[in-house]
Structure formats: structure tokens, C-alpha cells
Amino acid sequence: MFDQHQDSTPILARATLNSMAAAEHQALWLIRDMGHFVTRSLATSALTLSQHDLKMAYSAAVAMIERDEMEELGRLLSDLPNLIDFLPDTEDGLSLLHIAARQGSPNSIALLVEHGALLEQGCGTSQSPEEGPLPGWTPLLIAARNRREDNALELLDWGADPAHADPINGDTPLHCAASLGMERLARRLILTDAPLNAQATWSSFDDELGHYTGNTPLHVAALGNQLDMAWLLIKAGAERDLAKDDLRSPLFYAAARGHTDVVEVLLASGANPNAREASTVGKITTDLTPLHYAVLNGHTHTVAMLLCYGANPTLVESNSRATALDMARRNDDAPIVALLNTAIKRDFTEEVFSGMDGQTITWQRRHYVEMTPFLENLLTECPVNSRGLLVLSDWLAEVLGAENRVHLARVYRALPGDRKQMEK
């Protein structure tokens, strides 16, 4: 009798413990759903879930990704293979690979891809970046937008498409890299044949540019004052004068913002300093030049750099009938008025610091006249495109001084004949 009583006690105890354990698991899941907080005990308990509990398992997997718990995540994915493609019924609609791209590690990305995660899977149902990822964002786009450079590089290693653009606004991973100055990512994207001149369609407004669009990665680099990025894109072959219907090349963006170093990179690569826009506001279409924008916004050093590279201070804007000098006078901007007056007199000798090589450059007409025959012969013997001209400009600056880079660009733009033929 005593022996039977001893045998039944452990049985009752175990039954009680099992019941308590089941209740504890249910309570833990309830806490997670209500408080959005996953504990380690919850994450490990996910291993016992059935295939029908994907939503709860997804929450546990997200916690594992955030904590970089790869062994636990690997076991969970092995037990629930369907979890790899699961998209929660939420506004952002992120798969586990999207989560890993945004806030995980390269290791988590590798593990998910090895388990069959789709590299080009789109996400999201919200309609603005403020609410969450837009529909169609791939893991690579999410990694690039969130400045997770290592994650983006890992995705490219696994074969993510570098040309996949945001289906709503046309941004590519290269636009993101150019905007945020991620040079390692930009180099890899270029090596994998990312489209250098892809044009985004998003639009914005500021007091310096008015309404403007995202346009190409080079436009984005010019907007964000990304000097090294602009240099890299141009040397890779990005078109320096490409523009949409408003005809604003990247030079307009850099000049309006006063990004003098980027202005010089563009000008040294052959960008046209006297390009005209066709920007429509209401019923008025303006045809301002980059110089007009720099003057209107009071960017003295940018004005000087544009003048060094041949910007014409006498060009008249059609609607206002104003030259850059007229605009400077209306703004009562004495330093810029002085600069433009000396340029009009053709004795411009303003010194401007060059961010390209840490030197001060000076444009003097006497030097230009002396150097012109040599530079014309150099360009004749070495036909160049926009990429080659910048390389040649770098060489001239190193061997003969930075001021000769200015002369080379001016001679290049003054060459007779069909320049497009020369660049082919």
C-alpha cells in the first residue's frame, strides 16, 4: 500500500507540471502578442509550434534575427519550412529576409537564403516611406535605404538584382548608395552592371531649387554633396549632362545647393556650365543657368568656380530679362557683384579652393591663351569621353597644376565639330 502511494505521487506531480508548462507557454505567447516583447523562453518555445502557428513563429524568428541567434533560427526554419516565405498581414508586410536586410546581420541573410528565401520578393502595402516600406521593395532596396551596407553587399554576393527599382518612384540601390555616400556598395553595384543613368520619378521642393525630381544617381550625389560618389559615378561612365523634361543636369542641383566641390567634378568632366533649364511653374517656363541658381542663392564660391570653368555672366533669363549680374544687384550681394563684374571684363583672377585635390585654382586669361595650343593638341591626340576627360584633368592637375584642369575643360567645350562623334 505504501509502495503504491509512493508510485502515484510522481505521476500526479508530473501531470501538474505538464499542465503548468502548457499554461506558461500560452501566457508567454499572449504577452508577446499584447506587449510586442519576445523573451528568450518564448523564442526557444517556438521550436515546439505546429505548422499552423506561422504568425507566432514569425515573431519568434524576428527576435532571433534581432539577437543574431543563428542556431535557434536554423532549427526553427528546419522545423517550419513554410516560415521562410511567410508575409505577415501588416502594413509593411516584411518577410524574414526583409527583416534581416533592415536590422539583422549578414549571417542572418546567408542563413535565410540557404533555406530558400527569395532575393527579389517584394513587400509592403503602405503608400509612403514614413508609414513603412512601399510595395515592391526588395531586401536589397531595404538594406540600401537603411544604410546597411554590409547587408546589401551580402545580398549582392547571393545574386540580388542590382537593377531592381522601386516600382513606385524608380529608385534603385545605386540611388540609395549615392544619396547616403556608401562608396563600397556603389562600387560593387557598378561592377555588377547596375544602371548608372536610371531615372527616379519622385519629386520634392526646396527654396534653392524649387520643384525638382530624383533623376539619376549622379543627380542624387549632387543634391547630397557627395563628392567622392560623384567622382566615382562619372569615372564609371555616368552621363554628366543627362536631364529630364526640365533639362536640369546634375550641375543645376549642385550649383543651387552651393556644393562647390561637386560643381568642379562635374565641370572638370565636361559638364556644360551654360546649360539652360526648362522648368515650368504655373504658366511660366524659366530658362535659368547653373550660374543664375548659384547667384540667386548667394553661393559666392560656387559662382567663382562656375566662372573659372567658363560660365557666361551675360546670359539673359527669358522671363525676367535678367542676367546673373542683375540678380546679384537685386539681392544686394556685393561679393558676387564684384566677381561678375571682373568676369565680364575678362580679367577674372578669382582664386577658388578645389576640393578635388586640396589646391587653390586660379583662372587667368593669359594662362588660358598660353595653354590652349597644347591642350587642343592633347585632346586631338587623345579623344575622350566624359569619363576620360576627368581622368585627363586629374593628370593635368597633378603634373601641371590644378589651374590647367580648368583650361582643359574650357578648351574641350570650345572644340569645333560634332563632340558626340568625338566621344564615341
Side-chain angles (χ1 to χ4, degrees):
M1 187 75 176
F2 179 77
D3 291 340
Q4 289 177 355
H5 179 69
Q6 275 190 327
D7 290 339
S8 64
T9 301
I11 293 173
L12 291 173
R14 285 197 298 272
T16 302
L17 287 174
N18 288 339
S19 176
M20 291 174 63
E24 181 181 357
H25 283 308
Q26 291 177 355
L28 285 171
W29 285 118
L30 182 61
I31 290 171
R32 169 62 187 90
D33 288 341
M34 294 178 63
H36 302 287
F37 179 79
V38 179
T39 63
R40 178 177 292 276
S41 60
L42 172 61
T44 55
S45 71
L47 300 176
T48 64
L49 295 176
S50 70
Q51 189 105 354
H52 302 291
D53 295 319
L54 287 177
K55 185 174 182 180
M56 290 185 289
Y58 171 87
S59 298
V62 169
M64 294 172 188
I65 290 171
E66 291 173 346
R67 292 195 291 258
D68 206 29
E69 296 173 344
M70 294 300 99
E71 289 187 13
E72 293 90 335
L73 180 60
R75 287 195 293 269
L76 180 58
L77 293 172
S78 296
D79 289 346
L80 297 174
N82 289 347
L83 185 59
I84 200 69
D85 297 323
F86 178 72
L87 290 176
D89 186 19
T90 59
E91 281 192 350
D92 50 18
L94 299 175
S95 71
L96 291 178
L97 188 57
H98 291 113
I99 294 291
R102 185 178 67 181
Q103 60 204 66
S105 68
N107 288 335
S108 65
I109 289 171
L111 179 62
L112 290 166
V113 175
E114 286 172 350
H115 277 79
L118 300 176
L119 289 166
E120 307 307 325
Q121 186 173 26
C123 72
T125 57
S126 62
Q127 295 302 308
S128 74
E130 290 74 22
E131 296 174 6
L134 293 167
W137 286 11
T138 62
L140 178 57
L141 268 173
I142 286 180
R145 283 180 178 274
N146 286 275
R147 206 190 289 265
R148 301 303 296 267
E149 193 168 18
D150 288 338
N151 287 355
L153 292 170
E154 181 72 20
L155 288 162
L156 286 169
D157 285 343
W158 285 98
D161 183 3
H164 192 108
D166 185 317
I168 292 179
N169 64 29
D171 267 346
T172 66
L174 189 55
H175 282 92
C176 301
S179 173
L180 298 172
M182 294 185 288
E183 191 172 340
R184 282 191 302 141
L185 177 56
R187 289 183 183 277
R188 180 72 67 81
L189 288 165
I190 290 168
L191 288 174
T192 52
D193 296 324
L196 287 171
N197 300 309
Q199 293 185 304
T201 58
W202 56 263
S203 62
S204 188
F205 176 88
D206 66 26
D207 291 337
E208 292 177 311
L209 270 168
H211 290 281
Y212 62 93
T213 58
N215 230 308
T216 69
L218 186 56
H219 282 84
V220 173
L223 273 173
N225 199 22
Q226 298 291 347
L227 172 63
D228 293 336
M229 189 63 62
W231 201 336
L232 174 64
L233 289 167
I234 291 171
K235 286 187 174 181
E239 295 184 36
R240 77 276 189 194
D241 282 326
L242 189 65
K244 288 191 173 182
D245 293 341
D246 62 8
L247 303 185
R248 289 177 175 175
S249 65
L251 184 59
F252 282 87
Y253 287 24
R257 291 281 180 91
H259 301 326
T260 306
D261 293 341
V262 177
V263 165
E264 189 192 0
V265 171
L266 293 165
L267 291 169
S269 70
N272 181 7
N274 296 312
R276 297 274 197 167
E277 68 170 2
S279 180
T280 302
V281 180
K283 296 182 179 180
I284 298 175
T285 300
T286 59
D287 59 356
L288 297 166
T289 68
L291 182 61
H292 285 119
Y293 273 101
V295 169
L296 286 170
N297 292 306
H299 300 309
T300 306
H301 292 295
T302 303
V303 170
M305 186 66 77
L306 286 161
L307 292 171
C308 279
Y309 277 86
N312 185 348
T314 66
L315 294 180
V316 176
E317 197 281 315
S318 299
N319 289 285
S320 63
R321 306 306 303 168
T323 66
L325 181 58
D326 295 328
M327 294 176 178
R329 285 173 174 161
R330 290 173 187 172
N331 290 346
D332 197 23
D333 194 327
I336 291 182
V337 168
L339 277 174
L340 294 169
N341 273 325
T342 56
I344 290 170
K345 295 175 183 176
R346 303 177 70 83
D347 59 355
F348 180 66
T349 58
E350 181 69 16
E351 291 187 340
V352 187
F353 179 75
S354 166
M356 289 177 67
D357 49 27
Q359 297 185 52
T360 298
I361 62 172
T362 305
W363 187 87
Q364 292 180 330
R365 181 151 189 84
R366 177 177 58 82
H367 293 163
Y368 176 67
V369 172
E370 292 172 354
M371 287 295 298
T372 296
F374 166 75
L375 296 174
E376 286 179 344
N377 184 62
L378 181 65
L379 289 171
T380 301
E381 292 183 355
C382 306
V384 292
N385 55 23
S386 60
R387 177 178 5 179
L389 183 64
L390 187 55
V391 173
L392 202 55
S393 297
D394 293 343
W395 173 78
L396 274 180
E398 181 179 347
V399 175
L400 301 176
E403 66 274 11
N404 291 300
R405 179 172 58 228
V406 178
H407 301 328
L408 178 69
R410 297 189 73 154
V411 169
Y412 168 78
R413 282 188 289 268
L415 283 177
D418 187 347
R419 187 170 296 111
K420 290 182 180 180
Q421 282 298 117
M422 183 187 73
E423 292 181 356
K424 286 183 178 179

